[in-house]
Amino acid sequence: MKNKDKYSFLFDKNNIHVIENISNQFLREDVLFDIIDNHYGNKSIPKILVFSHELSLTGAPKVALFLSKILKNIYGVSPIVVSLKDGPIRKEFYSENIEILDIAISIYNGNYIKNLVEKFDLVIVNSWCFPIMDVLAQTRTRKIWWSHDTFTQNEEFDIIKKFMPCLHECWSGSPLTQDKLTEIYPLKKNFLMLYGLDDLYIENIKHENIVFSVMGSISNRKGQDVLIDAIKLLSDDTLKKCQFLIIGENIDNNLYQRIEDASRNYSMIRYYNSVPFEKLLDFYAKSDVIIIPSRYDPMPIVAIYAFMFKKICVCSDKTGTARFINNKKNGLIFESENSKELANIIKDITWNMKNYNEIAKNGRKIYDEYFSVRMFEENVKAKLQDILK
């Protein structure tokens, strides 16, 4: 058997069907199809396959989890989720009893993927699964692409233009994504589909200083350096009243070094590399302000948690979140990369905190009206009823 036929599959939470990555061996189609048939049984519900590019703890895999939970609520049986790369969020899928089929693809068999896809009534491609988009385009199964990115490279544009014609419709997870995809391929129906988050609000954790938090992977795109430059512009009197928490996995060593240097020079800066989700909720509870200094960010999850927890949300104008904020009414917006403007906002909040309490309360309405689980489920259900009727 040729190298292109090598696979590594892991099935279900009990590891009943485990095929190790043995050279020249992969799971037979008949075994795979039996597993799919047994999963759905004789239930007269649509068979839905969800593709995720990976199972990391980043935004897109979390959104795939939210979608899978909603589909399970609607139909009583979970979709089957396919991931092109394994990762730690797998445990959260298992805890929700959502079936996962992980396909570790180095060189994949196109016919195998096509035969898998055509066992389903609908495929929802979550995020940017470019390694298999050409193969998916050759299948007859109805397909939805739920995209959460903003695209900047010509190579990506070419893939999108080839993929779009095969789709039943396209969902955009952010107004920024919707604008860009409409620009690249205006012929395809493109609907705004905002994700929803479970309401995990807990009471504030009291503290002395005003706590400003930034959460997200340490990267140029997330813009933690913009915050560091803003801190350097603040007076000592202001800094004495503040605490800055930077939380996120290091994926950019140069930026990480800047954060490390700043935390050594400023006692009010603390960096946390990796925080489990349940502990992350405590960080939201103890924060007064959530800052999103991203250079671009279609729809950062951290902003939705900020609204949910009734925190002051301060975000750059290059985020999808900014489209939902009425500046100084239910959140604050500053010009991307403008550290001076961000420093002025931090200073004013620090010395006039009482003036911002109403803004924080109003931010909660953004969560309730746009990002609640109820709204998400209603939107998905209405769309699928139309597509699958």
Side-chain angles (χ1 to χ4, degrees):
M1 191 172 293
K2 297 179 180 180
N3 285 337
K4 70 177 182 178
D5 291 330
K6 289 184 182 180
Y7 283 82
S8 173
F9 289 96
L10 292 172
F11 290 92
D12 81 22
K13 57 184 175 296
N14 297 315
N15 288 329
I16 296 172
H17 308 284
V18 176
I19 302 298
E20 300 294 342
N21 189 14
I22 301 173
S23 178
N24 298 329
Q25 182 174 340
F26 67 98
L27 195 67
R28 296 199 323 266
E29 285 184 359
D30 59 337
V31 177
L32 171 62
F33 294 166
D34 282 345
I35 293 167
I36 296 170
D37 291 339
N38 290 334
H39 176 68
Y40 288 98
N42 296 320
K43 297 181 176 65
S44 57
I45 61 171
K47 295 179 181 178
I48 300 177
L49 177 64
V50 175
F51 270 106
S52 180
H53 74 292
E54 63 182 24
L55 293 178
S56 67
L57 292 172
T58 55
K62 289 180 181 178
V63 169
L65 174 61
F66 305 150
L67 174 64
S68 300
K69 289 168 62 177
I70 290 299
L71 293 174
K72 185 179 177 184
N73 288 344
I74 293 172
Y75 296 110
V77 175
S78 81
I80 290 181
V81 178
V82 170
S83 175
L84 307 187
K85 184 179 179 181
D86 199 3
I89 203 173
R90 164 202 289 272
K91 293 187 293 185
E92 295 185 39
F93 280 87
Y94 286 167
S95 68
E96 299 290 341
N97 291 315
I98 295 168
E99 299 298 324
I100 299 179
L101 163 62
D102 293 317
I103 306 179
I105 302 177
S106 53
I107 302 174
Y108 57 85
N109 182 316
N111 286 330
Y112 192 98
I113 301 299
K114 284 193 287 185
N115 292 339
L116 166 65
V117 166
E118 290 186 352
K119 284 287 290 181
F120 291 84
D121 301 303
L122 177 67
V123 175
I124 302 177
V125 183
N126 181 62
S127 195
W128 184 234
C129 296
F130 70 90
I132 58 168
M133 288 169 116
D134 280 347
V135 177
L136 291 174
Q138 301 171 39
T139 62
R140 295 168 294 179
T141 304
R142 290 178 180 177
K143 291 171 286 293
I144 297 170
W145 182 27
W146 192 19
S147 179
H148 315 278
D149 300 290
T150 52
F151 302 97
T152 58
Q153 300 176 20
N154 290 333
E155 295 85 353
E156 295 173 338
F157 300 167
D158 291 340
I159 294 172
I160 291 167
K161 289 174 182 177
K162 290 179 181 178
F163 188 51
M164 280 289 200
C166 82
L167 298 174
H168 185 82
E169 63 186 39
C170 184
W171 294 353
S172 293
S174 161
L176 301 185
T177 304
Q178 187 178 37
D179 290 349
K180 193 63 180 180
L181 289 179
T182 300
E183 175 188 331
I184 296 170
Y185 198 84
L187 299 178
K188 181 59 60 178
K189 290 186 290 186
N190 188 345
F191 299 95
L192 183 63
M193 180 63 73
L194 303 173
Y195 56 79
L197 301 181
D198 291 319
D199 190 353
L200 301 175
Y201 174 81
I202 56 178
E203 291 295 330
N204 294 346
I205 297 175
K206 295 182 179 181
H207 43 77
E208 293 183 5
N209 292 341
I210 297 176
V211 177
F212 298 83
S213 294
V214 175
M215 304 180 192
S217 301
I218 306 304
S219 65
N220 181 69
R221 182 171 72 88
K222 293 293 186 179
Q224 288 89 350
D225 56 310
V226 178
L227 172 63
I228 291 172
D229 290 340
I231 292 172
K232 292 178 179 179
L233 296 174
L234 298 171
S235 67
D236 290 341
D237 287 343
T238 298
L239 290 173
K240 287 176 183 177
K241 298 171 68 67
C242 300
Q243 185 176 22
F244 298 94
L245 308 180
I246 301 176
I247 305 153
E249 181 184 1
N250 172 29
I251 61 173
D252 183 331
N253 285 328
N254 291 332
L255 182 50
Y256 170 77
Q257 191 57 55
R258 285 203 62 189
I259 293 171
E260 284 284 282
D261 293 343
S263 62
R264 282 194 294 268
N265 294 327
Y266 293 87
S267 60
M268 70 291 302
I269 298 177
R270 295 182 183 178
Y271 170 64
Y272 299 85
N273 185 8
S274 184
V275 177
F277 179 72
E278 59 273 13
K279 293 188 180 296
L280 196 59
L281 297 179
D282 289 338
F283 280 95
Y284 284 107
K286 73 168 60 173
S287 300
D288 298 293
V289 184
I290 303 295
I291 299 176
I292 304 169
S294 302
R295 288 180 167 83
Y296 68 93
D297 215 333
M299 192 57 66
I301 287 179
V302 61
I304 314 310
Y305 282 112
F307 297 136
M308 180 193 300
F309 277 73
K310 304 177 186 177
K311 304 301 177 179
I312 302 167
C313 182
V314 179
C315 68
S316 84
D317 59 358
K318 298 300 183 183
T319 64
T321 308
R323 298 283 187 94
F324 297 89
I325 290 178
N326 186 349
N327 196 28
K328 298 182 180 179
K329 299 294 184 181
N330 51 14
L332 293 100
I333 303 170
F334 68 97
E335 182 184 17
S336 176
E337 299 190 78
N338 191 331
S339 295
K340 184 176 180 180
E341 184 179 4
L342 178 57
N344 288 335
I345 291 172
I346 294 171
K347 177 183 176 181
D348 196 59
I349 292 174
T350 301
W351 293 100
N352 302 287
M353 186 65 180
K354 291 182 179 180
N355 295 341
Y356 289 86
N357 290 336
E358 196 64 25
I359 292 176
K361 291 179 182 177
N362 290 337
R364 170 69 195 205
K365 297 176 185 177
I366 296 177
Y367 166 75
D368 290 331
E369 293 177 13
Y370 296 102
F371 298 98
S372 67
V373 170
R374 177 184 60 82
M375 290 302 301
F376 185 33
E377 183 166 342
E378 287 179 4
N379 292 335
V380 171
K381 189 173 183 178
K383 272 291 165 197
L384 295 188
Q385 282 179 340
D386 179 57
I387 292 169
L388 295 170
K389 62 185 177 182

